[in-house]
Structure formats: structure tokens, C-alpha cells
Amino acid sequence: MAHLPIVQFEEQIIRTVEDNSVVVVIGETGSGKSTQLSQMLHRHGYSKRGIIGVTQPRRVAAVSVARRVAQELGVKLGEEVGYAIRFEDRTSDLTRIKYLTDGVLLRESLSDPELSHYSVIILDEAHERSLNTDILLGLVKRLTKLRASNLKVLITSATLDGEKVSEFFSESPILNVPGKLYPVEVVYSRERPISYTESCLKTALDIHRKEPEGDVLIFMTGQDDIEKLVSKLENKIRGLEEGSCMDAIILPLHGSLPPEMQAGFSLFPFPFSCEVKVFSPAPPNCRRFIVATNIAETSLTVDGVVYVVDSGYVKQRQYNPSTGMYSLDVVQISKVQANQRAGRAGRTRPGKCYRLYPSLMYQDELLDVTVPEIQRTSLAGTVLYLKSLDLPDIDILKFDFLDPPSAESLEDALKQLYLIDAIDENGAITSIGRTMAELPLEPSLSRTLLEANENGCLSQALTVAAMLSAETSLLPNRSSKNNEKKRKQEPVELPTGSGYGDHIQMLQIYEQWDRNGYDIRWCRDTGLQERGMVFVKDVRKQLSQIMQKIAKGSTDVRANRRYRESEHDYRNLRKALCVGYANRLAERMIQHNGYRTIGFKPQLIQVHPSSVLKADDDGMFPNYVVYHELIATSRPYMRNLCTVEMRWVSPIFKKLENLDVSKLSGGLHRDVRNGEGKSLELTKKENVAARTPDDHESRVLAARERFLARKAQK
DNA sequence: GAGCACTGC
């Protein structure tokens, strides 16, 4: 591996590690840091007293890098070199170098808070700032003090903010390792485009007409735009004079494509890094245009790209802690992302990157780094995890994050955890909370499982939790023309939740799959996502194993069948869901089919049209539902819901009335009282007030007016 | 009657 740039720095790296407990390594793409750092430390004896652990944000990366390193060392994968990802542990007593996802390392630290098996921890790709990496940065910082004598930590990052990380670790040294990228010429647009699809189209055609051979990678924001551009590009290129240009193949690339459509999808490690390659190379005298989302920024690599077209935008999911609502917004990319995109043009030879925005905009408007995930997501799970670690010397709410989340976001998390009994009124973790933290689920689902265990419907709850873990929609999209074309024969009918909503439908679907012997063809016939369903089965198995210790009934899918057939209302399961989702309750407006959220800044929300829950014969929806997610797209919607009964709901209202966020958060609330903390106080009062009938009605009207006003604005 | 960027335990 003499050609890897990092190799010539071996002595310097080892010396620095010897003298310091934390070292930051900045290495661009192709420097070899992911495969070589672990081997160097192994060679110099660091694996004698413990394991060298290397974390990766993605599963495929952990597997392919481990495979590569095993190959380089000439050992069998799973022996000296192994990996651990969810559902798959390929390590043994012999393992000295272990690649693992950062999520797996967080799980390990639950049972071994000092991570005592490890002599070295390398946090790779820290610049991506995934939620899990950020938590690990905080935990590892603490460990470097506790285990100063026998733990070495290396943080690797591809970019700028090495100094920030170094400061975080009390001025630890920074080593710079050059990468193996070819120069990329950056071309800016003179002005920002009116329509970036048109601008992409024009730029792509210009490249095709004027530039020498080489593939083109175009970064767009989502599936819709990608499909539009692909068809426009096809038309335009077909319209070009024959013989005036080389041939062209135009390919979409985004996450919801089935793997076989991500043509030539393979896990072959790229010679210098270990990324996933897509597509077979273009035939001679033919140019490929790949129109992609940001999946092509980090997760997938397209070889042969010489030209990159960068729209400057990305779709980002963000959470609003005051409303409990997620939204998916098109936002400007950061400078780091812009450079990452440009770098995709220089992997095989010098390339060109066309930025469809002016250089001034790059300078002045683009953020230096992407907003870390920890500041864009609900923290209920994270806070519960940290509370369950019982770190004696650390106040969770002052937890040492590289970039701390807002006080409002932390308070929101506490409030949610309190409503589902994971913490008590003083903010201390309860025994329920402790058990919840052991489950690889979001807190609401963990709580549902525990309640179901008391309720005698554990096996059903396991199924629902597993189904909901498979984020991406498993259900077929009946109205889509594509699907109709594909399936000539009538699709097999799926159950519809018996009027109780999407959770119950999911349970019924999985039970039906069980009755069909988990036949993959059955998924195909019904239009269910096969891969998704297999994933659900794996998750269910894992959850069952964890619950086994405390299970009061059978975890078998069929356990409840006889019971259910005699009583069709899924009462116990819905009760359990009501307890687990106490923080996600919605109440229907008077004489109105809109709902308002309970426990957040009150807002008008609708049942998502994809829901199986339909209005009754009088055109009305049930009075109370719990929802899995609030998402603002064209309007605020509840997705995946379950009907609950009014008398199950009253304990939730009682809890909300007694809610005192300042008690939950200890000292935190005082610090922010003059700032955003106030809004929570308001929320509480409003909630109580809103339950008196008069007030409720005026609130309904006000909400309705707001809604109509927003609609008019559009 | 709408649409979903990407990860992970």
C-alpha cells in the first residue's frame, strides 16, 4: 500500500499518538486514513492491551473497510480483523481491529460505559457530524480523562473544522494528511438561477456539446426534480443533430430506487477508499449523465465522473421542538458540502465543477459547515440514552457537546420523556426509562412495548414496533400509474386496520405475511416492499430477544391469535399505544375534521391522506388519536395514527397539567428563562386553558382562521 | 387527496 499518501506519515503519526491521548487527523478523500490508521497502530503494539475500534457512520462502510483491511493483512475476516453492525457481529476472541457503526459502539457503552475492551478508538468521518458521532465525541472526551493512561483516541475528519475538534479536546494536535484527488476547476454562474432545473439542463447540454469525454454528475434535491430533469435531458439530447455529439445515457440516482435500479450496484472497495461503487462504466464514445440526490455525496461513488453540476441545494429534514413537527425543506448546502460535491469530479483525473450560483454567494451566504444533526432532530432518545448511562460526574443537560443543541430542544426532550414515564417529575430516570433505553427503538415505541408486556399483548406490540422501525413506507402506492402498469393482475387485498388506523393495519399485514409462511412472493403480489419486510422481520427478532428477559407472555407472532379472533377491537394494544404515545396525542376540533396537538404549541393538523383511517359514515374522524409523526409538507399532517378512547386520555391531561419543565431540567431552565424557555411555560398554560369548552371553541376558530390565512397566502 | 433527502441501534 505504498501508494497511499498516509503511509509516509506513519512515524509522525505514531509519535504523536504516543505523546497525546487525543489526536485529530485531517485527511482528504483517498488519503487512506480509514484503512491505514488502524493497521499502523496495530503494528506498533496498540492492539496488545485491547482492541482497536474504528467507527463508521454507515454499515456498508464498516463492512467494506473491514474486508479490505483483512485482505491487506492476509487474515480471515472475523478473526484478527472483524466488524460489528446491527444484526451482524463478525468478530471473535481473536479480533484486534474492529470496525463498527457508531450506533453499535453507543450500544456497547451501555453495558461497558468505560469501553474497557478498547485500547484505541478511532472516530472516522467525524466531519459528517452524525447524531451518533456527536454523542460519541462527548462520551469519548470524558473517557480520555478517566482512562488517561490506557486509551488513545483518534478523530478523523475530511475538512476544515479540525481546529474546532482540536479545541474541544483541549488543544489536541492536528495532523494533516494529503488526499489523492486530482485538481478540480470550479466554474461559477454569474447570477443565481431562476429555475435550477432549467439551469442544470442548460449546463449539462453545454458540457455535452463542448467538453471532451467524461461522465457528468448532477446534484439535485429530490426524486421529483430528478425525474423531470432526466426526461427533459433525454428529449433534448435526442433532438441534437446526429453525429454532432457522442451518445449519452441518462440515469437517475436516489434512495428510493430499488437496488437493482442502482445499476451494477456493488460493494467492491474502491482501490484507495472503501466506498460503494455504482453503475458499470460507460461504453466507449458514450457519456453518462447521473442525476442524483446527495446520496452521491458520501454514500455512493460513481466512477468515471469528470464533470459535476452543483445546484447548491439539498433537501433536509428538521425538527421544531416547539411544535413537535418535522419538515422537509430545500435549503442551501454548506461550503463543506459544496467542496465534497466538487471533489466527486476529481477521483480519476482532473475535473470541472459547475456551481449554479455566483462565487459571492458561496463566500457570503453558504454556511461553513452543515448544521449538525443533533441540532435538527428530536432529542428524546438521546437524552434518555445519556440519562441511562448514569454518569456521576456529568450533568446531562450540560453535557459536553461539540455543538450543543438548544435549551428548547433539550426541554422538549425532557417533557416528552416525562409524559411517557421514562423520567420522574424531578428529571431522574425511572426504572421504566432504564428498560426503555435498552431497546433499539424510539422512546414512544419502547414505552409501548413495556406497557404491552403488562397488558398481555406484547407479541402484537413487537410487530407494530418492528413495522414502524422500517421508516420508509412499506405499503404499495396504489394510485401510482407505474404500479398499475407493472402488475397486470388484481393486487392481493391488504387488511385495512379494522377502522383503528395504521398501527393496527401494520399488525394485520405482518400477521398475514406470517400466515403466508414469510413468502417473499406474497410481498411481491401485494406490492409490499420486500427488502423492507425482511428488515422488519430482523428487527422483530432482535426486539423479541431483548424483551425475552422480562417478557410476561409469549413473543411469538401467533401468540395473540386466538385471543384476537374472539375480540376484534385490539383494545389492549391500542391502550398500550396510548400510554407509549402519550406525547403524541391529538384531539379533533369541534364540528371540524382537523385535529389539534396536545402538549405542544397548539396547532391545526390533518390526517395524512395516505392514512388508512377514514372518516365515518357522518364524515367525521374519531375524537382522539395518537400519531407516529407530525410532518409539514404542503400542510401539517399526522402520519401513521391509531384511534384511542377518551377515558384512556385523561391521565395524559392530568400529567400535562402537573408538568413543570423547570423541575424536570434542574438548573437548565433558569439559564434560559429570559429566552426561549418561556414558550414552554406558555404551552402549559394554554393547554390547560384550552380544555375549558369556551376557550376550546375560540381556539378552534382562531386555528381555523390561521389555517385559512395560510392557505390564502399560498 | 398527497409525495419522501440521507443515515442508524
Side-chain angles (χ1 to χ4, degrees), chain A residues 123-318:
Chain A
L123 300 182
D124 203 7
E125 317 284 4
H127 60 278
E128 288 188 24
R129 303 297 304 277
S130 77
L131 176 62
N132 287 340
T133 306
D134 269 21
I135 301 169
L136 279 174
L137 281 170
L139 289 180
V140 155
K141 176 172 179 178
R142 178 174 164 274
L143 286 189
T144 54
K145 290 167 195 155
L146 278 176
R147 292 184 49 196
S149 62
N150 63 0
L151 178 70
K152 297 292 184 187
V153 173
L154 284 80
I155 317 285
T156 84
S157 175
T159 40
L160 329 157
D161 55 345
E163 285 187 15
K164 186 173 178 179
V165 180
S166 159
E167 261 170 50
F168 181 68
F169 284 103
S170 24
E171 308 296 336
S172 57
I174 305 174
L175 294 175
N176 276 289
V177 181
K180 237 198 149 163
L181 282 182
Y182 294 89
V184 175
E185 183 193 341
V186 176
V187 184
Y188 288 96
S189 294
R190 237 168 292 151
E191 14 194 88
R192 60 186 78 203
I194 300 158
S195 150
Y196 83 94
T197 315
E198 288 303 319
S199 179
C200 279
L201 181 66
K202 190 178 163 299
T203 311
L205 286 169
D206 278 353
I207 294 170
H208 194 45
R209 277 195 291 254
K210 295 176 192 155
E211 296 286 344
E213 63 174 348
D215 296 339
V216 184
L217 176 60
I218 304 170
F219 282 102
M220 307 274 291
T221 59
Q223 186 174 348
D224 257 18
D225 289 350
I226 287 174
E227 280 164 11
K228 267 183 216 149
L229 183 61
V230 165
S231 88
K232 280 186 182 173
L233 206 50
E234 269 169 355
N235 285 335
K236 289 279 184 187
I237 287 179
R238 213 179 296 135
L240 291 174
E241 202 182 319
E242 197 159 327
S244 66
C245 292
M246 64 183 92
D247 289 340
I249 304 175
I250 300 147
L251 300 157
L253 181 59
H254 51 81
S256 43
L257 284 174
E260 62 270 20
M261 290 277 292
Q262 296 174 6
F265 184 75
S266 63
L267 300 179
F268 295 138
F270 184 72
F272 309 122
S273 66
C274 284
E275 290 157 323
V276 180
K277 267 207 287 191
V278 283
F279 301 133
S280 36
N285 199 33
C286 183
R287 192 199 300 278
R288 295 181 310 165
F289 289 87
I290 296 108
V291 189
T293 60
N294 53 333
I295 195 172
E297 251 170 46
T298 49
S299 305
L300 298 174
T301 298
V302 187
D303 274 344
V305 170
V306 180
Y307 309 99
V308 163
V309 179
D310 173 15
S311 65
Y313 290 97
V314 69
K315 223 176 248 183
Q316 220 172 47
R317 199 176 135 99
Q318 19 226 0

Side-chain angles (χ1 to χ4, degrees), chain A residues 435 438-441 446 449-450 452-454 458-459 462 538-557 559:
Chain A
T435 317
E438 283 180 46
L439 289 157
L441 290 171
S446 306
L449 280 194
L450 297 191
N453 192 30
E454 303 299 320
L458 175 61
S459 81
L462 282 166
D538 283 339
V539 174
R540 196 184 184 288
K541 191 172 140 203
Q542 186 190 26
L543 297 176
S544 303
Q545 280 166 356
I546 298 171
M547 288 299 289
Q548 212 62 61
K549 291 176 281 191
I550 54 165
K552 294 185 174 171
S554 166
T555 58
D556 192 274
V557 184

